[in-house]
Amino acid sequence: MAAGGYGRYRAVIFAAMFVGYTLYYFNRKTFSFVMPAVMAEVPLGKDDLGLITSSQSAAYAISKFVSGVLSDQMSARWLFSSGLFMVGLVNVVFSWSSTVAAFAGLWFLNGLAQGLGWPPCGKILRKWFEPSQFGTWWAILSTSMNLAGGLGPIVAALVSLNYDWRMTLSFSGFLCVVVSFVCLVLIKNEPSDVGLPNIDQGAKKGKKGSSSDNSTLTELLLSPYLWVLSSGYLVVFGVKTCCTDWGQLFLIQERGQSMLVGSSYMSALEIGGLVGSIAAGYLSDRAVARVGLSSYGNPRHALLLAMMAGMCVSMFLFRVTVTGESPKENHFWTVALQPLADLTGLKEHELWILTLGAVFGFSSYGPIALFGVIANESAPANLCGTSHAIVALMANVGGFLAGLPFSTIAKHYSWATAFWVAEITCIVSTVAFFLLRNIRTKMGRIPRKAD
């Protein structure tokens, strides 16, 4: 079968991971999809709902970190497939349950199993794709979450027309179990497993640096660049979460916009994020193909910084230009959007809000994809999963800070003040990253004859 070359195996392996992770994400959100039907049958208060969803979030953050470390120590395909199997099993058992305690306990287990999904994907992608292709395929694989999140509610609603919520969870869980065995058969950890030469992860141009060294965990943790990435990811993910979790409330409560405009803003943000993720992966791969990877600096930095700057600008415009009423003055964007407003029937200020949402989504989801790619490719091959686990854990810290701490600022001051704090934080992080863009980016052991 090795005669088929890399292309055939890459296609099969990627397709298996894409389908598998789509099911991962769908079954992470199944409770949210069927929540109204569950509440109609089982009495659940707001505190109960918060307990169930929070239990999964806490378990997922812990499990994703542990999974990243494990992916460097054991078979990535076994880790991915076993996690999908457990996710399916938990969803099936959840469909048999009827108490809050059982719901919370099982959804905690679902969160633990969910964490086994993404880190093995990053490990396998790095083994099977050239450095100049890695970012593109990473970004495309991440769109499986957008696919599941977008189609999930529709699929759940269609199934609920003929079946109850228990059947919906049972079917989706059973499908996970079946696909987990398919993934175990189709996914291969690296080319050498099927008799093909492993892909050289070293730089093709620029300052060479062997990626085959087996660095220790201590050497990885002592790499300054790991913490530069972690800090940047914390801020970017935290600011993105602020806008996705609270942007709608800001528009409705302080800017007097309708619920339709608020929800449309969220949709525009997600659509922009989908395009931004793929664009970031593809364009940064072009940069890598052109100049190669080196021990100092990274060709993906230019795009990363440009997108972070885009986040700052779009947040500033979102906070300053959005008002409760149609503007009386002829702002530049009012004139520019007039033809599109006539075509769509929307007001100019509504189109402006949707535009800002799409631009912010494009500018924020792009860096989120790039931070993961860079953390993976800059680490020693034997610790790339651990490297990604660390920066992802810091991103989860950012997500936490975007919750209660952010809402506390809004409670004591205003949503506008809270968004101003997020905006300043993003600007400071962008400037700091710009100043540190040319530090040593190859993490792990420093050779005696350094560059």
Side-chain angles (χ1 to χ4, degrees):
M1 292 180 66
Y6 292 97
R8 177 184 175 188
Y9 283 106
R10 282 171 174 163
V12 171
I13 292 169
F14 186 84
M17 289 196 299
F18 191 93
V19 173
Y21 203 76
T22 300
L23 288 174
Y24 257 109
Y25 195 83
F26 180 85
N27 284 271
R28 188 187 309 169
K29 299 293 185 180
T30 42
F31 178 70
S32 299
F33 296 156
V34 301
M35 191 181 292
V38 177
M39 293 177 68
E41 180 181 330
V42 182
L44 294 173
K46 291 182 179 178
D47 291 342
D48 298 327
L49 297 174
L51 174 64
I52 296 168
T53 56
S54 296
S55 65
Q56 185 194 57
S57 299
Y60 178 64
I62 297 169
S63 178
K64 190 174 181 181
F65 174 76
V66 174
S67 174
V69 177
L70 287 177
S71 68
D72 289 327
Q73 312 298 326
M74 62 179 292
S75 169
R77 76 185 183 102
W78 272 99
L79 199 61
F80 181 86
S81 302
S82 59
L84 188 58
F85 177 84
M86 288 187 285
V87 166
L89 197 61
V90 167
N91 271 265
V92 172
V93 177
F94 191 97
S95 70
W96 302 339
S97 307
S98 299
T99 65
V100 174
F103 287 163
L106 287 168
W107 229 229
F108 180 85
L109 292 177
N110 188 14
L112 291 178
Q114 287 286 340
L116 304 182
W118 188 258
C121 290
K123 185 83 172 181
I124 294 168
L125 284 176
R126 178 170 177 177
K127 293 289 187 180
W128 276 97
F129 290 94
E130 303 281 351
S132 60
Q133 302 172 321
F134 182 48
T136 301
W137 291 106
W138 175 291
I140 294 175
L141 184 59
S142 71
T143 62
S144 60
M145 292 181 279
N146 300 92
L147 179 65
L151 296 181
I154 300 174
V155 172
L158 292 175
V159 174
S160 66
L161 294 176
N162 298 308
Y163 304 98
D164 62 4
W165 67 269
R166 296 182 186 276
M167 182 60 70
T168 302
L169 263 71
S170 293
F171 177 74
S172 63
F174 178 74
L175 188 59
C176 273
V177 171
V178 173
V179 173
S180 69
F181 288 102
V182 177
C183 289
L184 184 62
V185 173
L186 296 181
I187 295 175
K188 307 298 179 185
N189 288 323
E190 56 187 1
S192 62
D193 290 348
V194 292
L196 294 171
N198 285 336
I199 294 172
D200 179 20
Q201 297 294 329
K204 294 183 178 181
K205 300 179 183 178
K207 299 174 183 177
K208 308 277 183 180
S210 173
S211 62
S212 61
D213 61 304
N214 289 323
S215 299
T216 64
L217 178 60
T218 301
E219 290 168 336
L220 174 68
L221 295 176
L222 290 176
S223 301
Y225 188 59
L226 174 66
W227 303 108
V228 171
L229 284 179
S230 297
S231 301
Y233 202 2
L234 183 153
V235 172
V236 167
F237 192 83
V239 171
K240 189 276 296 185
T241 305
C242 289
C243 288
T244 54
D245 287 0
W246 307 112
Q248 188 171 6
L249 278 180
F250 169 70
L251 287 171
I252 295 171
Q253 293 182 357
E254 287 194 8
R255 293 299 187 256
Q257 302 297 327
S258 66
M259 291 185 65
L260 178 60
V261 171
S263 59
S264 298
Y265 166 81
M266 298 304 298
S267 297
L269 193 154
E270 292 296 334
I271 294 171
L274 173 64
V275 178
S277 294
I278 297 176
Y282 175 74
L283 293 176
S284 66
D285 275 351
R286 293 284 298 272
V288 171
R290 186 170 61 253
V291 301
L293 294 173
S294 66
S295 295
Y296 290 87
N298 189 301
R300 302 188 198 273
H301 282 175
L303 182 61
L304 177 61
L305 284 165
M307 286 186 150
M308 290 175 69
M311 289 178 64
C312 299
V313 173
S314 59
M315 282 195 70
F316 171 77
L317 294 174
F318 179 67
R319 180 176 59 86
V320 173
T321 65
V322 176
T323 58
E325 299 178 354
S326 300
K328 296 179 175 60
E329 309 90 33
N330 287 325
H331 293 292
F332 72 94
W333 45 265
T334 305
V335 177
L337 293 174
Q338 179 68 49
L340 189 58
D342 294 338
L343 183 65
T344 61
L346 296 173
K347 297 178 180 178
E348 288 86 348
H349 77 280
E350 293 174 342
L351 282 173
W352 178 241
I353 292 172
L354 297 185
T355 301
L356 290 176
V359 171
F360 180 82
F362 181 91
S363 301
S364 59
Y365 276 86
I368 287 172
L370 290 178
F371 275 118
V373 170
I374 295 171
N376 197 297
E377 71 183 2
S378 300
N382 66 310
L383 290 172
C384 62
T386 303
S387 172
H388 181 258
I390 292 171
V391 298
L393 181 64
M394 293 296 284
N396 287 326
V397 173
F400 168 79
L401 294 175
L404 184 60
F406 187 83
S407 62
T408 300
I409 296 174
K411 178 181 178 181
H412 288 90
Y413 298 95
S414 66
W415 285 116
T417 302
F419 276 101
W420 176 80
V421 171
E423 181 186 320
I424 294 299
T425 305
C426 192
I427 292 173
V428 171
S429 178
T430 303
V431 172
F433 201 91
F434 173 79
L435 296 175
L436 296 170
R437 68 192 184 282
N438 289 324
I439 68 170
R440 180 180 175 84
T441 54
K442 185 180 183 298
M443 296 185 282
R445 181 173 301 162
I446 299 177
R448 293 181 180 178
K449 293 183 179 180
D451 292 324

